[in-house]
Amino acid sequence: MVNFVGAGPGAVDLITVRGRKLIEEADCIIYAGSLVNPGILAWKKDCCEVYDSSRMSLPEVIAQMEKAERDGKMTVRLHTGDPSVYGAIREQMDALDERKIPYAVCPGVSSFCAAAAALQMEYTLPGISQSVIITRGAGRTPVPERESVRSFAAHRAVMVLFLSSGMAGRMAEELMAGGYSAETPCAMVYRASWPDEKIVRTTVEKLEQAAADAGITRQALIVVGDAVAQKDYDFSKLYDPAFTTGYRKGTSS
């Protein structure tokens, strides 16, 4: 059995209870050593085999899973954040399907959630934004034109850019060309939830300079949109005294 486990954004205690239990039971762990906090490995059994996938190719990862399965061992494939967001798990699952190796997925806390916590912000503010766009800029790996940062910017919803902090200047140009004003608030969160977490608040127009001043070139999320300011929003109708729900009758003013 192979279990894909979301390791969370970085802090050791932000893994799920289920994820920790799977790590404690694993006979073999393959983890993304360049991103996953190694402190999480403290829960493994002494006899557990550990492999750093940052030094492995996909065929090597699959070969190790296949070997563990032949030996009757349970493997945990440990991914940063939540495996469903830029986790490259589909190609692994397809390879396991071909080999008839069973697998399951344990979700994790994504870094975009940890970034919001660090910024103490609500992404979906009534009257400001009710949608969150999770995307990335086109770098060495292309992005379909219909999903470009520029095209998404036309919505002016909250946008969270993964894997894009190293090209902050280009992202700022795309964001403004697509529809965000130069004064739109944005933030960069470096290594959200890690001990060396860093937060930079700025505007779209000043994003490149802010990133340079902070020395941020990787491992940071860019959060863009009016909601970043966390002001001038409407109160939720759900808790409005005059609003009737299935559990509470509203009162007239």
Side-chain angles (χ1 to χ4, degrees):
M1 181 78 179
V2 174
N3 284 282
F4 293 93
V5 175
V12 173
D13 57 353
L14 281 181
I15 193 169
T16 64
V17 173
R18 182 185 299 179
R20 174 170 176 166
K21 184 172 184 293
L22 289 168
I23 289 171
E24 292 171 341
E25 296 173 350
D27 303 302
C28 173
I29 294 175
I30 304 173
Y31 79 112
S34 59
L35 296 170
V36 172
N37 190 332
I40 291 176
L41 299 177
W43 298 319
K44 69 176 180 61
K45 298 184 294 190
D46 290 340
C47 60
C48 179
E49 300 173 5
V50 178
Y51 301 89
D52 182 353
S53 64
S54 67
R55 303 177 183 276
M56 302 167 71
S57 65
L58 176 61
E60 289 173 330
V61 169
I62 299 303
Q64 184 54 52
M65 291 178 176
E66 196 170 16
K67 179 181 182 300
E69 189 68 15
R70 285 198 307 269
D71 295 341
K73 296 178 178 180
M74 190 273 273
T75 296
V76 162
R77 177 63 168 111
L78 199 55
H79 282 270
T80 185
D82 179 87
S84 69
V85 182
Y86 301 115
I89 61 172
R90 184 68 262 166
E91 58 202 43
Q92 297 175 74
M93 293 190 291
D94 285 345
L96 294 177
D97 284 337
E98 292 173 5
R99 292 160 176 77
K100 295 182 170 50
I101 296 174
Y103 56 84
V105 180
C106 174
V109 178
S110 173
S111 58
F112 90 91
C113 297
L119 294 168
Q120 297 184 335
M121 72 173 287
E122 179 181 346
Y123 283 131
T124 52
L125 280 180
I128 303 295
S129 177
Q130 289 293 284
S131 303
V132 182
I133 298 171
I134 297 173
T135 189
R136 64 175 179 80
R140 293 169 61 188
T141 303
V143 171
E145 181 55 36
R146 67 180 182 277
E147 297 181 34
S148 69
V149 169
R150 182 179 300 210
S151 67
F152 281 144
H155 298 286
R156 298 198 60 183
V158 176
M159 190 182 300
V160 182
L161 295 168
F162 279 68
L163 309 169
S164 304
S165 56
M167 43 187 173
R170 178 145 50 99
M171 292 301 96
E173 292 174 2
E174 291 293 296
L175 290 165
M176 288 188 287
Y180 290 103
S181 71
E183 296 76 29
T184 301
C186 65
M188 300 185 78
V189 183
Y190 170 77
R191 286 166 63 90
S193 85
W194 289 74
D196 58 347
E197 172 187 279
K198 186 185 297 184
I199 296 173
V200 176
R201 296 179 185 272
T202 184
T203 61
V204 172
E205 183 179 37
K206 298 177 181 178
L207 180 61
E208 182 176 21
Q209 188 60 54
D213 290 345
I216 296 176
T217 59
R218 59 194 296 270
Q219 290 188 305
L221 295 183
I222 300 173
V223 184
V224 185
D226 291 332
V228 174
Q230 296 286 281
K231 63 182 182 180
D232 300 328
Y233 59 91
D234 298 330
F235 278 28
S236 168
K237 291 295 185 184
L238 181 61
Y239 299 105
D240 187 328
F243 193 71
T244 297
T245 72
Y247 299 92
R248 173 176 57 81
K249 182 174 178 57
T251 58
S252 58
S253 56

